[in-house]
Amino acid sequence: MDGWTSCTCFEMEMQLPPHEGDVLSVVDMHTGGEPLRIVLGGYPEVKGDSVLSKRRYVREHLDHLRRLLMFEPRGHYDMYGALIVDSEVPEAHLGVLFMHNEGYSTMCGHAVIALGRFAVDYKLVKEPQSPETQVNIHCPCGLVRAFVEYSEGKSGAVRFLSVPAFVFATDVTVTVEGFGEVTVDISYGGAFYAFVDAQRFGLDVTKSRTRDLVDAATAVTKAVKSQVKLHHPTSDDLAFLYGTILTDGKDEYSPEPTANVCVFAEAQVDRSPTGSGVTARVALQHHKGLIQLNQTRTFQSGATRSQFTGRAVEETRCGDFKAVVVEVAGRAFYTGVSRFVQEPEDKLMHGFLLK
């Protein structure tokens, strides 16, 4: 029987089941445990003369496809995705739109790390170079330069240089439901985050229940959104709070890892240390004089213990804000490829979420 089974499976070809409409093809990866579903095909034309305008277009006209790919039964509450689009920037190898359980982000570091490998392996960069291949990825927040280890035809670890990262405000007091007055810092690393020590809520980012961390972070996000008006020097599309990052409070420079948990979008939990969050946290530490240029820190996910490194490599400006360019490094891995179909009789084909 074993021989019959293996022989039959070997000879069977993967065929599409009965379906109607376009087939959505994807490559799945993860960076530090955080998933990334990269769309290869099946999307209609994404209209717009810029990556930011394309982001608005998919939100207004193609959001059903985000739900189809991110939500159950094809995805899950914490699924994350990337849609490759054309860029208006000549030096970009690709443009990208990020998607999650709530909508569309402006920056995603774990996705950039994965997309760097993907761009090399899927020949979006025509002539890879050793020991590193540069991949220019146009995110909604701006052009991000990734550098992919490449040797003997194989891609490896990835580092990227952020858009200018800056501190919007420090020691901001907000009234948080269930917790009273809470002091937060707000920093930008391609997206805006609120930062607060988890001990303020009696929590530990590496030991406390995920549910308790989510509840505290979500309450902070709601408070900051309602009580603090954000602005970004270059675009109103970037002026929103993406989430809250709870830290272990170890902001003073140390060779030892510092841990955090990021809760973003609609209470979505990042399994990785959060690339744009590391960017924003390095900018915050540099702003406070706790880390110097080119001092490398290790950032650890409180959820999975996976690690990124981050360092401020250059001082610059973003409008009126003093800013830094941050280098973030990590590794991404492939987990599979899929082709998703739809059947019109399926009442759940458009997706659903369970918290």
Side-chain angles (χ1 to χ4, degrees):
M1 180 63 73
D2 288 344
W4 180 88
T5 302
S6 61
C7 178
T8 302
C9 291
F10 180 78
E11 292 177 355
M12 288 177 62
E13 293 183 4
M14 184 66 72
Q15 298 180 4
L16 285 175
H19 68 281
E20 290 187 14
D22 292 330
V23 176
L24 289 162
S25 302
V26 304
V27 171
D28 281 339
M29 303 182 71
H30 83 90
T31 310
E34 180 69 0
L36 185 69
R37 176 161 287 167
I38 303 169
V39 182
L40 289 182
Y43 252 71
E45 177 188 2
V46 178
K47 298 179 180 179
D49 57 8
S50 68
V51 167
L52 271 177
S53 65
K54 286 180 170 69
R55 178 174 174 266
R56 290 190 293 269
Y57 182 85
V58 296
R59 187 172 56 205
E60 294 169 4
H61 301 284
L62 300 175
D63 200 50
H64 62 287
L65 295 176
R66 174 189 66 86
R67 295 193 299 271
L68 189 146
L69 287 172
M70 297 297 100
F71 290 9
E72 295 185 52
R74 299 169 187 86
H76 54 81
Y77 193 87
D78 296 299
M79 179 55 77
Y80 205 97
L83 175 64
I84 295 173
V85 296
D86 291 332
S87 167
E88 74 276 16
V89 176
E91 62 262 42
H93 292 101
L94 66 152
V96 62
L97 304 177
F98 304 117
M99 62 182 76
H100 46 69
N101 69 7
E102 183 185 48
Y104 303 88
S105 176
T106 53
M107 173 58 188
C108 180
H110 94 271
V112 165
I113 291 170
L115 286 165
R117 276 200 75 192
F118 172 86
V120 171
D121 294 336
Y122 279 75
K123 313 303 182 187
L124 299 183
V125 179
K126 301 302 182 186
E127 298 181 1
Q129 303 294 313
S130 295
E132 277 188 328
T133 296
Q134 182 170 335
V135 182
N136 298 330
I137 302 173
H138 188 185
C139 307
C141 66
L143 189 68
V144 176
R145 291 174 171 84
F147 301 86
V148 183
E149 289 182 359
Y150 187 76
S151 178
E152 298 180 349
K154 294 182 179 180
S155 59
V158 180
R159 62 186 178 93
F160 69 83
L161 298 177
S162 73
V163 296
F166 60 87
V167 173
F168 181 80
T170 58
D171 299 324
V172 178
T173 300
V174 292
T175 302
V176 180
E177 184 177 357
F179 298 102
E181 291 190 344
V182 176
T183 300
V184 305
D185 297 323
I186 302 172
S187 188
Y188 177 84
F192 282 103
Y193 295 95
F195 289 86
V196 60
D197 188 337
Q199 294 181 35
R200 167 62 183 80
F201 309 103
L203 299 174
D204 183 315
V205 294
T206 62
K207 298 178 181 178
S208 296
R209 293 193 317 160
T210 302
R211 180 73 266 162
D212 295 335
L213 294 166
V214 169
D215 289 344
T218 300
V220 171
T221 296
K222 289 180 179 178
V224 174
K225 282 184 174 181
S226 64
Q227 298 168 43
V228 181
K229 182 173 177 55
L230 300 178
H231 70 270
H232 190 279
T234 63
S235 175
D236 290 340
D237 284 344
L238 306 176
F240 66 95
L241 189 75
Y242 190 32
T244 292
I245 296 179
L246 301 178
T247 77
D248 60 7
K250 298 177 181 178
D251 290 323
E252 195 84 38
Y253 175 75
S254 168
E256 298 299 315
T258 176
N260 51 237
V261 168
C262 176
V263 181
F264 65 98
E266 186 60 38
Q268 188 162 336
V269 182
D270 196 332
R271 275 72 169 156
S272 80
T274 309
S276 57
V278 166
T279 301
R281 196 172 173 204
V282 168
L284 179 61
Q285 291 175 353
H286 182 268
H287 176 85
K288 292 184 173 184
L290 301 176
I291 189 171
Q292 305 304 312
L293 283 180
N294 293 309
Q295 277 190 314
T296 300
R297 289 214 70 180
T298 299
F299 296 85
Q300 180 173 288
S301 164
T304 64
R305 310 300 191 269
S306 61
Q307 296 181 345
F308 293 164
T309 59
R311 63 182 181 131
V313 298
E314 178 188 347
E315 293 178 338
T316 184
R317 299 195 70 87
C318 185
D320 293 333
F321 293 100
K322 291 182 179 179
V324 288
V325 174
V326 178
E327 179 190 273
V328 177
R331 292 212 64 179
F333 298 91
Y334 294 98
T335 58
V337 295
S338 298
R339 301 175 74 188
F340 294 113
V341 299
Q342 303 169 65
E343 290 188 273
E345 296 85 4
D346 181 4
K347 295 181 179 180
L348 298 177
M349 73 173 180
H350 297 300
F352 62 91
L353 287 179
L354 289 180
K355 293 188 178 182

